[in-house]
Amino acid sequence: MSVLRDIFRRKARSILTITGIGVGVFALVVLGAAAENSNVYVKNLTGYYDDVIVVVEKNDANLWGMTNGNRPVSVAAVDEIRAYPGVRTVSRQVNLLLESEYMSAIPPMVLSMEAGGEDYASFALAEGRGLKEGERGVAIRGSDIAKQLEVAVGDTTDIRDEEFDVVGVMDRTYVNLVDSAAYVPLADAQQLYFASLPEAFQAGVKPEDMVLQMNVYVEPGEDTDAIAEELQRDIEGIHATGPDEMMKTVNNIIALFNTFVWTISAIALIVGGLSIVNTMTMSVSERTREIGVKRALGASRWRIARDVLSESAVIGGLGGLGGLAVGGLTVLALNSAMIAATGTTALVLTGRLAVGAVVFAVVLGTIGGLYPARYASRLEPATALAYE
């Protein structure tokens, strides 16, 4: 209690300092939650694409090696890949926006699924059942979009002006694309994509030939990345991305994002740490005679330094707890708003982030108190008592 009493002798100054630390921790928590979401995304993506080759039309590949949704793979290329040496199975995919116009960094998607295929086996259901062979007009919702639309198993859901029966809801994966998607049978997705094409293009194609992306699985013992390179070399008009290239691209992008996040957070916290140096230096200056009395009564240099460091650490801790509380509420509010607006979230407040933010604030406060503590401990009793 004596530490808190000493801290709040100058209430306005102390509150401003604690607020400064709190603002830094707030930035760390909110931006860190975005980084944690990215880390969870990479973790889940790593397991999913360990043995998958992603194949798209050559001129339709995005930064990740996946389809932009503009150009189907040719029927001839699909047949060639199926018959290619070392290829075990091919999962055909058609992906398109859930709505024709949608403004979001990661908009909700319609993703096709082939019942019993490799892709289907990799996802777990929170409720309901999976797709049946040859089934049409049914859908499985991702966890976030199901929550946003308040749909459950047994309800109907509208997908691009078509009614689908909801037969299942996915477990949450923390992969935004997955959690905000609607999964439908391949034939339904092909029909939806075909209907989105201009009439001039519809005349020359068939819905059943529409394939925008393929996940290619190789035989056991085969080198997945080597086969990806061979597919790219031997089959005209495709872009094939193996697991090594996929994860290298993903990790480079995430690493750049994380560096940006932690740099901004560190700058905010360092500014708060400098305010602790200023506050504690002024506090020591104002209490010089008090320190002289303590020294004259036998207080050691370490005791004086410890008192100053305790105050600075508590200031850091108070700012850290306040910043964590406000940051945590902000993360919840932003996630709720994003689910309501887009059906997905982009922030994950983990235990290690919460504890780490407060611990870092305490450490920063302690470091900020080192110079004032050293100065206070070196005051000679006679000089301190004579201080005006």
Side-chain angles (χ1 to χ4, degrees), residues 53 55 75-90 214-220 222-236 238 240:
I53 301 170
V55 176
V75 175
V78 174
D79 293 337
E80 282 188 73
I81 292 170
R82 279 176 166 164
Y84 200 86
V87 171
R88 183 176 83 252
T89 184
V90 172
M214 288 178 285
N215 283 352
V216 179
Y217 298 86
V218 304
E219 297 286 356
E222 295 285 351
D223 187 330
T224 307
D225 289 291
I227 291 181
E229 293 177 5
E230 292 169 8
L231 289 173
Q232 176 103 0
R233 180 194 65 207
D234 296 340
I235 299 179
E236 185 178 356
I238 68 164

Side-chain angles (χ1 to χ4, degrees), residues 40 43 54 73 94 107 139 167 177 225 312 314 346:
V40 172
K43 181 180 178 181
V54 177
V73 181
V94 173
V167 297
L177 177 64
D225 289 291
S312 59
V314 170

Side-chain angles (χ1 to χ4, degrees), residues 58-120:
K58 184 177 181 179
N59 296 311
D60 195 47
N62 61 22
L63 184 63
W64 312 85
M66 298 182 181
T67 179
N68 281 312
N70 299 320
R71 294 171 179 263
V73 181
S74 70
V75 175
V78 174
D79 293 337
E80 282 188 73
I81 292 170
R82 279 176 166 164
Y84 200 86
V87 171
R88 183 176 83 252
T89 184
V90 172
S91 175
R92 299 169 298 164
Q93 296 182 342
V94 173
N95 309 330
L96 65 159
L97 292 174
L98 187 63
E99 299 176 14
S100 57
E101 296 182 3
Y102 205 97
M103 297 299 294
S104 173
I106 306 178
M109 301 288 292
V110 179
L111 304 179
S112 68
M113 185 176 286
E114 292 191 86
E118 294 273 357
D119 296 335
Y120 175 75

Side-chain angles (χ1 to χ4, degrees), residues 37-365:
N37 183 78
S38 300
N39 293 333
V40 172
Y41 174 79
V42 170
K43 181 180 178 181
N44 285 286
L45 202 63
T46 299
Y48 181 67
Y49 283 104
D50 275 348
D51 61 347
V52 179
I53 301 170
V54 177
V55 176
V56 299
E57 202 276 336
K58 184 177 181 179
N59 296 311
D60 195 47
N62 61 22
L63 184 63
W64 312 85
M66 298 182 181
T67 179
N68 281 312
N70 299 320
R71 294 171 179 263
V73 181
S74 70
V75 175
V78 174
D79 293 337
E80 282 188 73
I81 292 170
R82 279 176 166 164
Y84 200 86
V87 171
R88 183 176 83 252
T89 184
V90 172
S91 175
R92 299 169 298 164
Q93 296 182 342
V94 173
N95 309 330
L96 65 159
L97 292 174
L98 187 63
E99 299 176 14
S100 57
E101 296 182 3
Y102 205 97
M103 297 299 294
S104 173
I106 306 178
M109 301 288 292
V110 179
L111 304 179
S112 68
M113 185 176 286
E114 292 191 86
E118 294 273 357
D119 296 335
Y120 175 75
S122 64
F123 295 109
L125 291 172
E127 59 177 299
R129 63 171 178 83
L131 303 180
K132 297 178 181 179
E133 193 72 37
E135 193 172 27
R136 299 288 299 271
V138 296
I140 297 173
R141 284 291 195 176
S143 59
D144 286 346
I145 196 72
K147 183 176 180 180
Q148 178 204 12
L149 299 178
E150 298 182 346
V151 296
V153 174
D155 294 339
T156 59
T157 186
D158 181 79
I159 299 176
R160 285 184 166 256
D161 299 325
E162 297 288 339
E163 289 291 325
F164 287 78
D165 294 324
V166 178
V167 297
V169 175
M170 290 284 190
D171 266 338
R172 194 174 190 200
T173 66
Y174 294 97
V175 177
N176 304 88
L177 177 64
V178 173
D179 293 335
S180 63
Y183 296 86
V184 301
L186 175 62
D188 284 327
Q190 289 173 321
Q191 185 62 49
L192 291 173
Y193 182 76
F194 178 80
S196 71
L197 297 174
E199 291 186 7
F201 288 96
Q202 291 180 353
V205 296
K206 300 176 182 178
E208 59 268 24
D209 293 336
M210 300 287 97
V211 177
L212 296 178
Q213 180 172 304
M214 288 178 285
N215 283 352
V216 179
Y217 298 86
V218 304
E219 297 286 356
E222 295 285 351
D223 187 330
T224 307
D225 289 291
I227 291 181
E229 293 177 5
E230 292 169 8
L231 289 173
Q232 176 103 0
R233 180 194 65 207
D234 296 340
I235 299 179
E236 185 178 356
I238 68 164
H239 182 279
T241 305
D244 282 355
E245 183 183 348
M246 171 75 72
M247 294 315 304
K248 182 179 179 181
T249 301
V250 171
N251 284 322
N252 286 342
I253 293 173
I254 296 301
L256 182 63
F257 175 71
N258 286 346
T259 298
F260 170 77
V261 165
W262 297 124
T263 299
I264 296 298
S265 301
I267 290 173
L269 280 168
I270 288 172
V271 171
L274 291 176
S275 70
I276 290 182
V277 176
N278 179 66
T279 295
M280 295 310 301
T281 299
M282 294 181 66
S283 177
V284 167
S285 177
E286 292 170 354
R287 292 153 56 190
T288 298
R289 294 193 66 181
E290 179 185 326
I291 293 171
V293 171
K294 289 182 178 180
R295 291 283 285 120
L297 293 176
S300 65
R301 293 181 185 277
W302 163 242
R303 170 63 185 277
I304 299 299
R306 187 188 67 185
D307 289 345
V308 176
L309 289 174
S310 296
E311 289 181 32
S312 59
V314 170
I315 288 175
L318 291 173
L321 290 172
L324 173 62
V326 177
L329 292 174
T330 301
V331 167
L332 290 174
L334 289 175
N335 276 340
S336 296
M338 291 184 69
I339 288 175
T342 69
T344 188
T345 62
L347 304 171
V348 176
L349 179 56
T350 60
R352 70 172 184 173
L353 174 60
V355 173
V358 176
V359 170
F360 189 67
V362 172
V363 171
L364 189 65

Side-chain angles (χ1 to χ4, degrees), residues 6-25:
D6 290 338
I7 289 173
F8 289 104
R9 286 184 179 184
R10 296 289 185 269
K11 292 182 180 179
R13 186 172 66 205
S14 296
I15 290 173
L16 286 174
T17 303
I18 291 170
T19 301
I21 292 291
V23 169
V25 172

